[in-house]
Structure formats: C-alpha cells, structure tokens
Amino acid sequence: MHKAEMIGLGIVSAAAALGATVALTRTGAAPRHSGRSHVTGADVPAHLDAAKKLNRSSALLALSVLADSGMEHYRGSFENRAMYTPLAVSLLSLAAGVHGGMDSNPAAHRARDAIYLTAAATGLTGNGFHLYNILKRPGGFGWANLFYAAPIGAPIAVLLSGALGAAAERLRDEPERDPRLYGMPAGRALALLASVGLIGTVGEAALLHFRGAFHNPAMYAPVAIPPIAATLLAHAALATPQPKRWFTRFWLRCTALLGFAGVGFHTFGVARNMGGWRNWSQNIFSGPPLPAPPGFTALALGGLAALGLREGEADD
C-alpha cells in the first residue's frame, strides 16, 4: 500500500469513527421515570430504555469476541475442540443482544438471560483454559508467555458481554420507580460494572501495546483515555447523584470514539506488514487484531446507559 493510500485510509477511518460515535452516543441523561422513544414516540420507562442500551452494548462486545476469537482460534487450528465454544456462545450472545435491543417488553426474556449466563460462565472457563495454556509452557507466568501464549484477558470479554446482558434482563424486571440491582440502585451497580470492565480491557490493551513497545504514540491512547473514563464513572457511582455529569459523559464518548478509531489504526498496522492488504490472509493474523478495539466502544456505551440512570437517581 502506497503512502497516499495509507493517508487516505486513515482519513476515511477517522471520519467513519467520528460519524459512528456521534450516532451511537448522542444521548443525554435518562429522565427520572420515563422518556420518549425515538422510534415509536411512545413513553418508555427510563430503566427499560437503559436495559435496551445494555443489550446493544452486549451485542457489540459479543461481535468483537466472535471475530477476534474466530481469527485467533482458527490460527490455532482449533487444536482443542473446546475452542469452538466461544464462537458459538458469542454468536448466541450477539443474537440475544440484537433481539433485546429491539424488545420493548418490560419483562426479562428467559432465553436471553440463559444465553447471557452461559456466556459469563464460558468467559470464566475460558480464562482458566488460557491461564493453563500459559502456565504449562516453559517459563510459566513470564513475559514471553504473557505476550505470545493464549491471551489471558481475552475470555473476559465474553464474561463482560454476558454480564451486561444479564444485568439488562434483571433491570427489566425491576419497577419503574427506583430500580435496584444487586442490592444497590441500578445506576450505581451498572456504573461500577462498566467501570471495572473498562479497567480490565485497558489491562489487556496495555499488555499487547507494551509488547509492541508503544512504537506509535497513538498506542498510549487506550491506556490513557479509558482509565479516566472508568475513574469518573466509578466516582459517579459512589458519590452523591448529580443531575448532569457532562465531564464524565464527555470522557465516555471519547472512549467510544477510541474504539472505532482503534480499528482504523489497526487497519493501518496490518497495511504496514510486508505485502499490505494484498497479503491480507497472512497479515490480518500477524498484524494488530482488527476486532479488539470496539470492546472499548461497547463498554463506554454501557457506561453511558448506566450514567443516564445514575443521574436520575435520588440521593442514597
């Protein structure tokens, strides 16, 4: 790929990232009890609107997992038949998230809930498999194995997809007034979940970008922007509720943008390898993972949904 083509690709990726992020994150704080659907014009309870957004966030994260694990496990020739499991589970989680994002039924969907719980269990089990893959190698829990063995944090994305979806289903079963999850106000619980998820995703990105020696200054962005968003979101969860947290919302939107922009940078990273995109069948495996960055977008969108609920909660 010539330099002019690379520059053009970067411009197109940046423009697409900006447009997509504006479309996905153009949302204000959720009202105290109900809002108006942009699709039907009917009143929608705030907690149901947040649940649908969480379903969509879960779907985006499942799509990222499906593509990423599909590529990585294909590269591993599916040596262990269990390597097919995250593909099947993430595909089901994706379908459940798309269905839930369009479902205005205030009651939880039991089949979706079962899928989400299965996804969460799959993530935990997969993390055990990846940890075993690292420890069985010479050198054990050393840098070389953390860099080049099965990625230790990757299965957690399946867990987070299931957790977001399961929280969405439980939120649907809550009353319209003062919904609660896990013994806490729903906005607080969901904000903490999204915050922890962001920190975990930052850890995975930091490990892989450290492996790449941060050779591009842009590689510092995923370890600089999302931690600020996660900290602000955790503060919003633990502090006294405020009606408008524009600064927290701004950083969450920046994190959502980062996920899309990361795909553009990773696309450029693939193009830098010998043969560029003409040798795509090899370079998409040797270059930076294309499906990974949208995980930030999914969790940021979940954080925005949680923040909308939290801004409308009473002092607790």
Side-chain angles (χ1 to χ4, degrees):
M1 182 176 285
H2 297 297
K3 183 176 181 180
E5 292 174 318
M6 291 183 179
I7 294 174
L9 177 63
I11 294 173
V12 170
S13 298
L18 180 60
T21 303
V22 169
L24 284 170
T25 65
R26 191 177 180 183
T27 176
R32 181 78 171 94
H33 300 302
S34 64
R36 185 163 295 275
S37 168
H38 297 294
V39 178
T40 65
D43 285 336
V44 177
H47 76 296
L48 176 57
D49 185 56
K52 293 170 70 174
K53 290 174 182 176
L54 288 172
N55 283 129
R56 297 178 193 126
S57 300
S58 173
L60 180 56
L61 194 52
L63 178 60
S64 174
V65 171
L66 177 63
D68 196 27
S69 63
M71 289 174 56
E72 294 302 318
H73 288 187
Y74 174 77
R75 178 164 63 177
S77 302
F78 291 96
E79 181 181 358
N80 186 328
R81 294 303 178 217
M83 294 169 75
Y84 286 103
T85 304
L87 276 68
V89 171
S90 58
L91 181 61
L92 288 172
S93 188
L94 170 60
V98 171
H99 182 268
M102 298 184 296
D103 184 10
S104 296
N105 190 332
H109 193 285
R110 300 309 170 193
R112 285 200 309 260
D113 192 39
I115 290 172
Y116 289 138
L117 293 176
T118 301
T122 299
L124 283 174
T125 304
N127 191 250
F129 272 109
H130 282 210
L131 182 60
Y132 170 73
N133 181 271
I134 292 172
L135 294 177
K136 74 176 183 178
R137 293 168 177 252
F141 209 73
W143 286 113
N145 289 335
L146 286 173
F147 288 154
Y148 298 108
I152 189 171
I156 299 301
V158 188
L159 168 62
L160 289 172
S161 177
L164 288 172
E169 297 307 314
R170 279 149 185 75
L171 186 58
R172 289 171 183 267
D173 277 342
E174 287 295 303
E176 179 178 345
R177 181 179 294 275
D178 300 324
R180 299 181 71 83
L181 289 173
Y182 314 114
M184 294 180 280
R188 167 179 286 179
L190 294 172
L192 289 174
L193 173 62
S195 178
V196 171
L198 280 171
I199 292 299
T201 308
V202 168
E204 180 73 4
L207 180 66
L208 296 180
H209 285 195
F210 178 65
R211 184 182 72 179
F214 291 95
H215 65 272
N216 186 326
M219 295 172 73
Y220 287 102
V223 298
I225 296 174
I228 297 175
T231 301
L232 290 171
L233 189 58
H235 180 265
L238 299 175
T240 301
Q242 296 179 11
K244 290 187 178 180
R245 289 184 174 270
W246 67 267
F247 195 58
T248 304
R249 192 172 297 278
F250 168 77
W251 277 104
L252 285 169
R253 286 175 171 168
C254 287
T255 302
L257 172 62
L258 179 69
F260 284 108
V263 176
F265 279 108
H266 283 203
T267 301
F268 177 74
V270 172
R272 290 178 67 249
N273 283 272
M274 185 174 294
W277 279 98
R278 292 188 298 275
N279 189 27
W280 66 269
S281 61
Q282 176 178 325
N283 287 342
I284 60 171
F285 293 109
S286 59
L290 292 173
F296 283 116
T297 303
L299 290 165
L301 293 178
L304 285 167
L307 184 63
L309 276 180
R310 184 61 178 158
E311 289 172 334
E313 288 175 343
D315 189 0
D316 51 18

